[in-house]
Amino acid sequence: MNRPVVAVTIGRSHYERMFSEGAWESLDGFAEVVHHDGPEPAERGELMDVLAGADACITSWGVAQLDADVLEAAPGLRAMAHMGSSVKRFISDGFWPRGIRLTSAGVMLARDVAETTLGLMIVGRKRIWPLARHVSEGGWRDSPDWDNWKAGEMTGATIGLVGASNVGRHVIELLVPFSCEILVSDPFLDAGEADTLGVTLVDIDELMQRSDVVSLHCPENEHTRHMIGAHNLPSMRDGAVLINTARGGLIDEDALAVELETGRLFAFLDVTDPEPPAPNSPLRSLDNVALTPHIAGCIHNCTRMGETAVEDLRRFFAGESAIYEITEDMLDRIA
């Protein structure tokens, strides 16, 4: 029996970062592997070449879209395993009618983002960012400025999560030891599932009003763009922390800047709109916002995603269920 042909399209310069030795051994164990030999992810013409005889492919950031011409050039393609966050940019309208199966290793990335989010929650509640600056400028606990940022704890805090996504659910798990009250706003989550997760389902207005920390974990689309803005930012508690590790467009940053200028909130923004922030963005100069360059997920060591992508393809060709499969009906509720 012929072994399936799997095309690796991500470019050889990314192999060490994305694949462990175990992943390569596993892939070689069930498939014939063909490579896009360039150092960087396959561009459109290169993708057409490497997929010509492939039964499946492994993609990641930077690979060209599987558009109509690419799909026509890959008549035998039956499965695609993606290593990254969103799959939406990589597939086209012709993808689903072909019956190609799609899996995502983004569930591994979600764990990294959730860990970063928890760290930001702790740092935010403890006021590490402004207090460290306060001390570096000569202050201490007996300074009159001490009361400007009263340090708080995670235990007993009210945490509001906008979106019960893969990341959101990992955050919920990580919050268990802290005995927090967890509020979730998500139109796709029902009361029964909320009970199972141990969270309270509320609308976003109530979440914004009640939470000590608001953290965003939902996709950006026509319904969620600027869902955080002048209409609900003023309702946040004094001293509350806003965290965005999802998509920059979820927040109306002009409105956020106006609210931050009052000094009563603090924000951690790992994503902005645009990226990077405009050179003259007030977010770059405000003392109560910390900007990071979209690094909440793994950057240098993403081998767990490579292992997951390979395992999903092994399962596909063995007739087993995938670790995490993406179907067409999921696209309106994932990033």
Side-chain angles (χ1 to χ4, degrees), residues 242-310:
L242 175 64
I243 298 171
N244 190 6
T245 56
R247 291 291 182 268
L250 298 174
I251 299 176
D252 180 343
E253 292 180 355
D254 290 337
L256 177 60
V258 170
E259 197 63 37
L260 289 171
E261 284 170 354
T262 69
R264 66 180 202 87
L265 302 178
F266 194 86
F268 287 103
L269 306 178
D270 185 55
V271 289
T272 55
D273 183 25
E275 291 187 350
N280 62 347
S281 170
L283 298 177
R284 289 182 178 269
S285 57
L286 289 166
D287 289 339
N288 51 335
V289 59
L291 301 174
T292 49
H294 204 145
I295 48 81
C298 70
I299 296 296
H300 299 297
N301 182 6
C302 300
T303 55
R304 286 188 298 171
M305 284 203 289
E307 292 163 357
T308 301
V310 169

Side-chain angles (χ1 to χ4, degrees), residues 104-116:
S104 172
V107 66
M108 297 295 110
L109 186 66
R111 294 181 182 178
D112 295 317
V113 177
E115 290 172 3
T116 301

Side-chain angles (χ1 to χ4, degrees), residues 17 19 46 66 84 104 173 178 233 245 258 273 291 316:
R17 179 170 75 110
F19 293 107
E46 296 167 331
L66 275 70
S104 172
E173 293 175 5
F178 298 97
L233 282 167
T245 56
V258 170
D273 183 25
L291 301 174
F316 171 75

Side-chain angles (χ1 to χ4, degrees), residues 207-218:
L207 182 145
M208 295 288 284
Q209 293 165 11
R210 292 177 53 188
S211 299
D212 298 303
V213 177
V214 173
S215 190
L216 308 184
H217 304 290
C218 59

Side-chain angles (χ1 to χ4, degrees), residues 10-208:
I10 70 171
R12 290 185 180 272
S13 68
H14 302 283
Y15 279 11
E16 183 176 356
R17 179 170 75 110
M18 302 302 295
F19 293 107
S20 65
E21 290 185 10
W24 285 122
E25 290 173 1
S26 176
L27 186 58
D28 288 334
F30 70 84
E32 298 296 331
V33 184
V34 296
H35 301 268
H36 158 55
D37 280 327
E40 298 304 321
E43 297 179 356
R44 187 168 178 269
E46 296 167 331
L47 195 58
M48 294 170 71
D49 289 340
V50 75
L51 294 185
D55 298 292
C57 63
I58 298 177
T59 59
S60 189
W61 298 289
V63 173
Q65 185 189 52
L66 275 70
D67 63 18
D69 290 338
V70 172
L71 290 172
E72 185 177 358
L77 192 68
R78 293 183 281 153
M80 169 182 164
H82 184 65
M83 302 182 297
S85 50
S86 177
V87 300
K88 292 180 180 179
R89 190 190 70 77
F90 300 90
I91 58 175
S92 59
D93 292 341
F95 186 91
W96 302 109
R98 278 275 301 270
I100 301 169
R101 302 283 288 277
L102 174 63
T103 65
S104 172
V107 66
M108 297 295 110
L109 186 66
R111 294 181 182 178
D112 295 317
V113 177
E115 290 172 3
T116 301
T117 300
L118 176 62
L120 295 177
M121 289 180 179
I122 295 170
V123 169
R125 289 287 290 159
K126 283 292 186 182
R127 313 306 194 209
I128 299 298
W129 187 266
L131 290 176
R133 185 167 52 245
H134 172 68
V135 173
S136 70
E137 294 171 352
W140 195 245
R141 292 194 300 181
D142 56 355
S143 168
D145 291 334
W146 166 254
D147 288 334
N148 291 343
W149 286 99
K150 292 181 179 178
E153 289 72 41
M154 288 292 293
T155 301
T158 300
I159 308 296
L161 305 180
V162 182
S165 60
N166 283 324
V167 176
R169 291 170 189 246
H170 284 303
V171 172
I172 291 168
E173 293 175 5
L174 293 175
L175 286 172
V176 169
F178 298 97
S179 301
C180 299
E181 179 183 15
I182 304 174
L183 310 179
V184 174
S185 176
D186 188 326
F188 297 100
L189 187 70
D190 61 36
E193 193 171 11
D195 286 342
T196 300
L197 291 172
V199 303
T200 301
L201 189 61
V202 297
D203 62 38
I204 192 166
D205 290 335
E206 182 176 351
L207 182 145
M208 295 288 284

